[in-house]
Amino acid sequence: MSNNVFPKDFLWGGAIAANQAEGAHLEGGKGLTTVDMIPYGENRMATKLGLLENVTLSDSEYYPSHQAIDFYHRYKDDIALLAQMGFKVFRTSIAWSRIFPKGDELEPNQEGIRFYKNLFLECKKYGIEPLVTLCHFDVPMHLVNEYGSWRNRKMISFFERYAKTCFTEFNGLVKYWLTFNEINILLHSPFSGAGILFKKGENKEQIKYQAAHHELVASALVTRIAHEINPQNQVGCMLAGGNFYPYSCKPEDVLTAMQKDRENLFFIDVQSRGYYPSYAQKVFDDKNVVIDITDEDREILKNTVDFISFSYYASRCASADMNDNNTSEANVVKSIKNPHLKASDWGWVIDPVGLRITMNTLYDRYQKPLFLVENGLGAIDTIDEHGEINDDYRINYLREHIKAMKDAISDGVPLMGYTPWGSIDLVAASTGEMSKRYGFIYVDRDNLGNGTLNRMPKKSFYWYKKVIETNGQDLK
Ligand code: BG6
């Protein structure tokens, strides 16, 4: 196989998200968002899953998003470091509540617009292309409290106004857009995924799939608007990816794996094809779900995405008799333990071949270019006696995954770019920890918010710089 498979204009870079990096949670006119209400510690999971009927801030809890890694104040220095590595693309998200602090205002918050304009200009200064997610796990809390978030159809027009504002204000600065980060996660983590809080006794599946429908319509609507505002705009969907393997070749295991994959691909099927897949009705019937879909919705859904973006951390595994006792979670998706694979300290299996399989599956199914917008190893880093971080485990993980990308490209899969997760250490979405680090750049901060917030390149920083310089040829 030729070593030179990455196209000349391949977009090498990295990814972060507003809610896990910016902090400054009430500065610059920003309003509270869902993630600002999710504490670190034992109450985190129940909050994320939407199991509390109300969420309020408590003095006795620590909320990691409130200061995060202070990217809001330090973005110039951070972008300069990313530029040193040779980044060609930088994925981040816009915090909806910086632009519309409550979410239902008619006019945007100019200070929020100014912040992102400056951020994108800073990227451009170094020739870095921004790749921007409109909604990365942060819905303005006012929309949750007043309207029940995405369970309410009104959210479509609030999101439309927000997206239109972004496409207009950042026209010419941003051309790659993603609508909803890991849209399928709303099924698995409804509050953090979509601001859903359940009321006692309601059919959770009904609420989740109706919310999903509203997000799908909103996504298609703003895809159309992005294209109308500037035909150069390219809009992608975003899947929390990773195929399910059948635990064995027993036909029932294979069938379960297929059904589990569909649960996630359901979203991308709609966003990429422009209509609900034929299996959707059976899923709804089985779950006692009746979706309110109008004729106008069906028309709007026809505005499909330009490319398929996805995250890949791990593959998954399913068997016909999987249940709460024989499964564990990686990235909030339940999976049987795969006996053939090793796992990270957080139990996320390490499976580069699974990336090749996932990429081939996605391209076979959609025939649209792919963009791998998250990938990486969450690990504990220690500073050695020379003051250095030798994160060879991270380099090994990334190297093997880049090799798998090469294999998939050689298989015939077009890949636009690669933005490994958390290029700079940030707050973990699942656990709220700082100690679960992904970055090429270390941030001095611990799980409870102590530390100087100083930045320091790790060994992987210099390794990734060389990977980018050689367009993925030198992976040593
Ligand atoms: C994805 C999210 O689910 O995985 C990110 O889009 C998240 O926001 C990433 O941070 C890694 O998960 P975690 O829990 O290790 O931060």
Side-chain angles (χ1 to χ4, degrees), residues 16-17 19-20 44 48 91 136-137 181-182 185 238 240 311 313 331-332 346 348 373-374 376-378 421-422 426-433 436-438:
I16 66 165
N19 81 80
Q20 287 159 269
R44 187 172 181 85
K48 281 181 59 158
R91 175 178 177 229
H136 191 126
F137 297 163
N181 180 62
E182 297 193 332
I185 290 299
M238 198 316 198
S311 61
Y313 293 92
N331 212 1
V332 293
W346 277 264
W348 297 23
V373 297
E374 282 186 37
L377 179 71
W421 179 245
L426 37 63
V427 176
S430 51
T431 58
E433 291 163 296
K436 189 182 186 194
R437 297 171 183 275
Y438 288 87

Side-chain angles (χ1 to χ4, degrees), residues 102-382:
K102 288 163 76 181
D104 59 357
E105 302 92 333
L106 296 179
E107 295 303 326
N109 168 33
Q110 291 302 329
E111 216 174 327
I113 291 175
R114 217 162 24 245
F115 169 70
Y116 289 107
K117 228 173 232 173
N118 289 338
L119 170 60
F120 301 143
L121 282 168
E122 197 64 21
C123 293
K124 292 281 175 172
K125 189 166 117 189
Y126 298 101
I128 298 173
E129 194 66 56
L131 162 62
V132 175
T133 315
L134 287 166
C135 187
H136 191 126
F137 297 163
D138 55 353
V139 175
M141 262 321 277
H142 175 76
L143 297 183
V144 175
N145 294 330
E146 281 302 305
Y147 303 92
S149 189
W150 284 101
R151 64 168 72 216
N152 191 328
R153 183 172 275 278
K154 287 193 179 136
M155 288 293 279
I156 299 173
S157 45
F158 298 142
F159 188 73
E160 179 189 2
R161 189 176 307 136
Y162 160 58
K164 208 175 194 167
T165 304
C166 293
F167 299 145
T168 310
E169 293 290 343
F170 310 127
N171 191 7
L173 281 176
V174 178
K175 80 168 182 219
Y176 295 108
W177 296 93
L178 306 178
T179 52
F180 293 95
N181 180 62
E182 297 193 332
I183 188 165
N184 50 316
I185 290 299
L186 91 76
L187 295 182
H188 309 279
S189 186
F191 181 68
S192 65
I196 304 291
L197 296 171
F198 294 108
K199 302 191 178 79
K200 267 206 192 79
E202 64 185 354
N203 176 356
K204 291 195 172 84
E205 299 296 329
Q206 170 68 38
I207 305 299
K208 288 194 285 185
Y209 277 100
Q210 187 64 55
H213 176 68
H214 294 148
E215 283 200 0
L216 289 167
V217 173
S219 174
L221 180 61
V222 309
T223 300
R224 189 184 76 203
I225 294 171
H227 292 147
E228 283 165 2
I229 290 180
N230 189 339
Q232 302 277 309
N233 277 333
Q234 291 195 43
V235 186
C237 51
M238 198 316 198
L239 165 81
N243 279 29
F244 270 97
Y245 300 145
Y247 186 72
S248 77
C249 52
K250 200 166 82 182
E252 289 78 5
D253 285 355
V254 179
L255 181 69
T256 307
M258 184 192 81
Q259 287 165 336
K260 287 275 158 200
D261 272 337
R262 278 181 170 177
E263 218 171 81
N264 294 314
L265 293 173
F266 161 85
F267 294 84
I268 311 304
D269 284 353
V270 179
Q271 290 177 295
S272 179
R273 297 171 177 159
Y275 52 87
Y276 274 80
S278 51
Y279 61 82
Q281 195 52 52
K282 169 91 169 69
V283 172
F284 296 155
D285 291 347
D286 288 351
K287 295 179 187 291
N288 247 327
V289 163
V290 180
I291 302 289
D292 168 33
I293 308 182
T294 66
D295 288 344
E296 194 194 350
D297 291 349
R298 288 188 208 283
E299 265 317 295
I300 294 172
L301 288 178
K302 290 180 185 160
N303 296 286
T304 56
V305 290
D306 302 303
F307 63 94
I308 312 291
S309 89
F310 66 108
S311 61
Y312 179 86
Y313 293 92
S315 57
R316 298 151 179 160
C317 191
S319 82
D321 42 37
M322 66 197 287
N323 55 49
D324 283 351
N325 299 325
N326 60 12
T327 52
S328 60
E329 283 177 9
N331 212 1
V332 293
V333 179
K334 288 202 164 77
S335 170
I336 292 263
K337 188 172 164 21
N338 184 330
H340 304 286
L341 297 171
K342 294 207 172 81
S344 78
D345 289 346
W346 277 264
W348 297 23
V349 292
I350 299 174
D351 181 14
V353 178
L355 173 58
R356 180 179 182 179
I357 296 169
T358 298
M359 287 177 65
N360 273 279
T361 307
L362 290 176
Y363 190 60
D364 283 355
R365 196 167 175 122
Y366 303 119
Q367 301 282 300
K368 291 192 182 186
L370 306 186
F371 205 139
L372 179 47
V373 297
E374 282 186 37
N375 169 241
L377 179 71
I380 291 176
D381 291 323
T382 42

